[in-house]
């Protein structure tokens, strides 16, 4: 029987209280039941939204969808479900989770609700690197270009933000400035590209899941899983920085090293999302705040934010493919509209207060 099944000590106050500590031989875990329950609920909702997208138009009945997923059913149903719809749904869930987790890390790092990769320029940097590969190189290396562009942007923004002592507002301002510059660079690259390349790149810059293919899903899933596993141990140290660098240092937390490590993970999550679907806006901004409101928790809230991001992007893509438009609607258009509505709601709520 495992250590977790027979813990030597269990301390906590359950769903309504603080974290539960589970300790055994050589193992110690701190579990916050309420955020974990919220993350599980949001994950189920996101999975349900994805399942609804597989049967959205009635072309393939739910029974045949299940059969195709488990290796049964007709060849036509298997082709529609496994080749056309499932890659888009799976990639949307993965990209949404990556954006939600990246937004949670950026917001906790900057101590600012506007701290998200699309606001502070990291998505623009990843898009610049990916565009250079799309327009002038081998499309197979788009992920590497996005990671390189995001990392270069992170280095520049971090150097600008850490002059003197690190301040979250300085990180936001530096990111906005660098992001505006890179947006101009991206526009210039489009003007110098061939017409067909520029049209496909422009659609990609809006953010789209329409070209999702099976071979894209597994690398994105593996990248997301590895980065989340790397981020979980750092979240505790990041939350301790709320007390101030000196107080956190007294508890053994290296503030500078923690910030750099978290920044690299957040940039990696952004690169996973951008390389797969383009710089989709507002999901990274809204998902952590909505998850925090539902869970009524404090701290980073990494897993609830990731689950909320998956739900938001899956729901947005379902709206994009069901709206009666003249052509396929990129999911970035829907997330941009939802993000505008969300910000307007926040402004109205603040005015009433």
């Amino acid at each position: 029987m495992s250590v977790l099944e027979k813990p030597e000590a269990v301390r906590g106050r359950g769903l309504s209280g603080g974290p539960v500590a589970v300790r055994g031989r050589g193992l110690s875990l701190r579990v916050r039941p309420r955020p974990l329950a919220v993350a599980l609920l949001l994950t189920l909702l996101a999975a349900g939204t994805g399942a609804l997208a597989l049967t959205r138009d009635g072309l393939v009945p739910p029974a045949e969808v299940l059969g195709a997923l488990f290796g049964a059913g007709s060849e036509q149903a298997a082709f529609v479900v496994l080749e056309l719809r499932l890659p888009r749904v799976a990639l949307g869930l993965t990209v949404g989770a990556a954006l939600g987790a990246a937004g949670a890390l950026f917001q906790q790092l900057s101590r600012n609700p506007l701290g998200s990769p699309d606001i502070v320029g990291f998505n623009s940097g990843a898009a610049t690197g990916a565009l250079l590969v799309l327009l002038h190189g081998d499309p197979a290396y788009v992920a590497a270009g996005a990671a390189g562009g995001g990392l270069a942007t992170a280095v520049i923004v971090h150097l600008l933000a850490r002059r003197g002592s690190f301040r979250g507002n300085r990180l936001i301002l530096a990111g906005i400035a660098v992001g505006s510059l890179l947006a101009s660079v991206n526009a210039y690259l489009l003007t110098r590209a061939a017409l067909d390349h520029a049209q496909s790149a422009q659609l990609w810059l809006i953010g789209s899941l329409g070209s999702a293919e099976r071979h894209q899903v597994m690398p994105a899933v593996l990248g997301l899983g590895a980065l989340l596993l790397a981020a979980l141990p750092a979240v505790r140290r990041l939350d301790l920085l709320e007390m101030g660098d000196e107080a956190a240092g007294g508890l053994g937390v290296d503030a500078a090293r923690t910030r750099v490590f978290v920044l690299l993970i957040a940039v990696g999550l952004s690169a996973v999302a951008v390389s797969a679907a383009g710089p989709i806006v507002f999901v990274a901004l809204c998902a952590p705040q909505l998850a925090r409101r539902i869970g009524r928790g404090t701290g980073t809230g990494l897993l609830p934010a990731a689950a909320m991001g998956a739900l938001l992007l899956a729901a947005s893509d379902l709206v994009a493919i069901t709206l009666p438009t003249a052509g396929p609607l990129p999911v970035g258009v829907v997330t941009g509209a939802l993000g505008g509505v969300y910000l307007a709601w926040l402004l109205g709520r603040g005015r009433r207060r």
Side-chain angles (χ1 to χ4, degrees):
M1 191 170 291
S2 69
V3 174
L4 285 179
E5 290 172 335
K6 294 182 66 176
E8 295 178 356
V10 178
R11 297 199 308 269
R13 292 179 290 173
L15 288 174
S16 60
V20 175
V22 180
R23 294 182 179 178
R25 298 182 184 88
L27 178 64
S28 177
L29 297 174
R30 289 174 61 86
V31 179
R32 296 181 180 272
R34 187 182 183 93
L36 182 60
V38 170
L40 291 175
L41 175 61
L42 292 173
T43 300
L44 291 175
L45 290 175
T49 305
L52 184 61
L54 294 177
T55 60
R56 61 184 182 267
D57 53 8
L59 180 63
V60 182
E64 292 194 25
V65 170
L66 288 175
L69 291 176
F70 290 100
S74 64
E75 293 184 1
Q76 179 183 2
F79 175 77
V80 172
V81 174
L82 300 180
E83 299 294 335
L84 300 181
R85 296 185 178 178
L86 186 59
R88 178 169 185 156
V89 170
L91 196 64
L93 293 172
T94 305
V95 169
L99 289 173
L105 293 175
F106 274 119
Q107 290 179 14
Q108 187 71 354
L109 184 66
S110 63
R111 300 288 186 268
N112 193 310
L114 291 179
S116 69
D118 48 333
I119 297 293
V120 299
F122 293 98
N123 278 4
S124 297
T128 301
L131 269 179
L132 289 173
V133 175
L134 279 173
L135 300 178
H136 304 290
D138 188 348
Y141 297 101
V142 169
L151 182 60
T153 306
V155 171
I156 296 172
V157 172
H158 184 69
L159 290 176
L160 293 174
R162 69 185 297 267
R163 294 184 60 185
S165 60
F166 182 90
R167 296 184 184 277
N169 290 338
R170 187 179 295 159
L171 177 70
I172 299 296
L173 292 175
I176 291 174
V178 174
S180 299
L181 177 62
L182 290 174
S184 300
V185 172
N186 293 341
Y188 172 78
L189 291 175
L190 289 178
T191 62
R192 295 299 177 183
L195 182 59
D196 55 341
H197 290 170
Q199 288 177 340
S200 60
Q202 181 62 45
L203 178 64
W204 180 84
L205 281 174
I206 297 173
S208 175
L209 295 169
S211 59
E213 297 180 3
R214 292 182 65 178
H215 67 84
Q216 295 176 285
V217 176
M218 189 52 64
V221 171
L222 292 177
L224 172 64
L227 290 167
L228 286 180
L229 287 176
L232 287 175
V235 166
R236 176 64 177 168
R237 300 194 297 271
L238 181 62
D239 292 342
L240 288 176
L241 293 180
E242 291 185 3
M243 302 183 301
D245 290 2
E246 293 184 1
L251 296 174
V253 178
D254 188 327
R257 184 175 298 177
T258 298
R259 288 193 178 99
V260 171
F261 183 69
V262 171
L263 185 63
L264 290 177
I265 292 176
V267 169
L269 289 167
S270 301
V272 168
V274 171
S275 62
I280 297 174
V281 297
F282 278 116
V283 173
L285 176 69
C286 300
Q289 299 179 39
L290 291 175
R292 193 172 293 117
R293 289 177 184 274
I294 295 174
R296 299 178 183 176
T298 59
T300 305
L302 183 68
L303 296 181
M308 177 61 79
L311 174 59
L312 286 178
L313 193 56
S316 298
D317 192 47
L318 182 60
V319 172
I321 59 182
T322 54
L323 283 177
T325 55
L329 188 65
V331 68
V333 175
V334 179
T335 60
L338 293 178
V341 172
Y342 174 73
L343 291 178
W345 174 76
L346 284 182
L347 289 173
R349 190 168 181 266
R351 182 175 299 177
R352 288 194 300 272
R353 284 185 174 180

